[in-house]
Amino acid sequence: MTTILSVDVHDVRFPTAAAGDGSDAINRGDYSATYVELRADGPFVGAGFTFTNGRGNEITCAAVRALAPSVVGRSLEDIAAAPVAFWRSLTADPQLRWLGPEKGVIHMATGAVVNAVWDLRAKVAGVPLWRLLAEMPTDELVANVDFHHITDALTPDEAATILDKGRHGYAERLALLERDGFPSYTTSVGWLGYPDEKVRALTRAAYAEGWRAMKMKVGGDLDDDVRRARIIRSEIGTDALLMMDANQVWDVDEAIAAMARLAEVDPYWIEEPTHADDVLGHARIQRAVAPIRVATGEVAANRVIFKQLLQAEAIGVMQIDACRVGGVNEVLAELLLAAKFGVPVCPHAGGVGLCELVQHLAVLDYLRIGASLDGRMVEYVDHLHEHFVDPVRTRDGRYILPTAPGYSASMKPSSVSSFSFPSGEVWR
């Protein structure tokens, strides 16, 4: 039996704003993580985190501390025996739930804690998280999903059917990933704060390294967006994919008008064209800009928002974030919803450690749920991987399958110490 004895939380921040890394139409931040360590009565430490953008990270850290009593003293065996009850002890606390419910800071803190529990479970089992999940019996996977508020779109029986179907061809799909890796795209070429010369140079370098799908930020001056899009398209040719991300800055009519101009460079998708909660707005944009796909989900608050986006046929690509929602359990619900509605999942990554986490989720989706690579790609951003014990690896524009036990969430102690705010040496 493995019992969780304590919850340590660290406010870790990286000074990325000065270089323009991560810059878009609305964000100019210092990539940060609310980093959680679950110390147990065995040799393993469960690591998890949620990603923030600098100021405010201290608030998420405080929320983790508020949730800690629901975790300390629990055994992994008890959690595994009643996973939804455990999840609801965090998301449906009769007092803390008021701060959401199931959204915002309190839900992101929940994600950090839940991710750390899964990291610990995979380490104890001695396997990477994707394998722990993908090889679970169907009934156990279904038992990890909270179907509350989504049964009008997905029932437990429907989820079981999807997961049982995912057993067929499992070995062949796994062999393909072991040989070729998982398809990816890079966002490192097109941050809004980069000058044209840097955009051109980074695009040219990425193409030479094997990337055939790239994403740029839009939502600033439209003439500038068009000019930068032309630069990238001229470097990658007509066969590579070019995606765009507006980071919610446009109103609905603005988004439709902007994409009418940007359509000249043949964008594959427009990401977050308007407010993240505007389901009907996304649906209207999707109808207007087709065949360009609308993609969103990186800040979708919970599985209920995803349910509505899918029911309204508002998106052609569903993005998931590993720690915006309530951790692995809620992501399972989202992946199953996407499979039910036949919408491909392309996880959001970048930031601090998001690439490390979502690779496991994308692999799980391919091996057991969506069971297809058609239209599937994982975002890749070449930032901050050196701070992780088991960093993501890529080859020829594809993710290499992670093999180390756990969720690839553990940060190097030296990085946690140096970049902790405000006492770390980087911030002194």
Side-chain angles (χ1 to χ4, degrees):
M1 181 174 290
T2 300
T3 301
I4 298 167
L5 303 178
S6 66
V7 178
D8 297 336
V9 59
H10 308 272
D11 183 341
V12 182
R13 308 187 192 187
F14 298 92
T16 54
D21 296 342
S23 56
D24 56 49
I26 197 168
N27 298 301
R28 299 287 194 282
D30 291 320
Y31 277 0
S32 304
T34 294
Y35 180 61
V36 175
E37 293 179 305
L38 302 182
R39 302 196 179 277
D41 58 356
F44 303 108
V45 175
F49 55 86
T50 194
F51 168 64
T52 75
N53 206 33
R55 288 193 306 276
N57 199 44
E58 72 279 6
I59 302 173
T60 317
C61 289
V64 169
R65 296 186 186 100
L67 293 168
S70 295
V71 184
V72 173
R74 304 288 294 266
S75 73
L76 291 186
E77 292 76 11
D78 287 344
I79 291 172
V84 171
F86 167 68
W87 196 76
R88 287 184 181 174
S89 73
L90 300 169
T91 63
D93 179 283
Q95 295 182 6
L96 292 176
R97 184 180 184 274
W98 187 262
L99 300 179
E102 295 184 40
K103 64 174 74 72
V105 168
I106 197 72
H107 209 46
M108 292 167 69
T110 295
V113 173
V114 169
N115 288 338
V117 169
W118 280 102
D119 180 66
L120 184 59
R121 286 185 64 177
K123 286 174 177 173
V124 170
V127 295
L129 181 71
W130 65 261
R131 186 180 290 276
L132 176 68
L133 292 167
E135 297 182 356
M136 271 188 183
T138 289
D139 59 348
E140 187 175 351
L141 274 171
V142 172
N144 275 280
V145 177
D146 188 348
F147 289 92
H148 194 205
H149 296 135
I150 63 171
T151 53
D152 57 318
L154 178 74
T155 67
D157 286 344
E158 288 173 326
T161 298
I162 292 168
L163 291 165
D164 280 340
K165 184 178 178 181
R167 290 183 174 278
H168 304 300
Y170 178 96
E172 291 80 3
R173 292 193 295 276
L174 177 57
L176 183 148
L177 291 184
E178 290 174 333
R179 185 188 72 226
D180 298 338
F182 199 99
S184 178
Y185 71 91
T186 179
T187 305
S188 297
V189 304
W191 297 115
L192 207 62
Y194 286 174
D196 290 357
E197 297 78 11
K198 186 171 184 177
V199 170
R200 187 181 296 278
L202 289 172
T203 302
R204 190 171 294 176
Y207 192 88
E209 291 167 4
W211 302 98
R212 294 299 180 267
M214 305 184 196
K215 190 170 77 180
M216 64 176 291
K217 298 292 184 174
V218 296
D221 179 83
L222 187 54
D223 289 335
D224 289 344
D225 289 344
V226 172
R227 186 187 69 255
R228 293 166 58 253
R230 288 171 177 168
I231 290 172
I232 296 173
R233 178 57 77 191
S234 70
E235 292 293 334
I236 65 177
T238 58
D239 293 333
L241 297 179
L242 172 59
M243 288 82 78
M244 297 176 175
D245 184 357
N247 290 96
Q248 309 169 49
V249 74
W250 291 323
D251 284 353
V252 171
D253 290 330
E254 282 183 289
I256 293 169
M259 293 314 298
R261 285 202 53 195
L262 289 162
E264 69 167 79
V265 295
D266 190 25
Y268 181 67
W269 78 50
I270 177 58
E271 180 176 337
E272 290 199 317
T274 195
H275 193 286
D277 296 339
D278 189 355
V279 173
L280 297 182
H282 278 89
R284 183 163 161 242
I285 294 167
Q286 180 61 92
R287 290 192 298 269
V289 305
I292 300 169
R293 298 155 180 82
V294 169
T296 198
E298 73 176 77
V299 297
N302 50 52
R303 65 201 181 284
V304 179
I305 291 290
F306 280 106
K307 177 191 75 169
Q308 293 177 68
L309 288 166
L310 293 164
Q311 287 174 322
E313 299 182 352
I315 50 175
V317 174
M318 193 173 102
Q319 296 171 312
I320 56 168
D321 185 279
C323 48
R324 166 67 63 169
V325 298
V328 171
N329 300 72
E330 191 159 32
V331 171
L332 273 171
E334 294 161 6
L335 293 175
L336 287 161
L337 281 165
K340 163 75 180 296
F341 283 84
V343 174
V345 176
C346 295
H348 163 249
V352 179
L354 298 183
C355 296
E356 277 69 23
L357 297 190
V358 296
Q359 60 180 334
H360 292 266
L361 305 174
V363 169
L364 165 66
D365 182 49
Y366 175 53
L367 291 179
R368 194 67 189 281
I369 301 174
S372 173
L373 291 181
D374 186 27
R376 273 75 168 181
M377 299 173 282
V378 181
E379 184 172 17
Y380 175 76
V381 178
D382 191 15
H383 296 321
L384 307 174
H385 304 298
E386 67 273 17
H387 300 291
F388 286 83
V389 174
D390 179 30
V392 67
R393 297 169 296 148
T394 64
R395 182 183 62 238
D396 298 328
R398 300 171 80 92
Y399 276 69
I400 299 173
L401 201 63
T403 57
Y407 199 3
S408 304
S410 295
M411 296 182 70
K412 295 177 180 178
S414 58
S415 294
V416 174
S417 175
S418 296
F419 292 92
S420 285
F421 185 86
S423 59
E425 62 183 65
V426 170
W427 296 106
R428 287 201 299 267

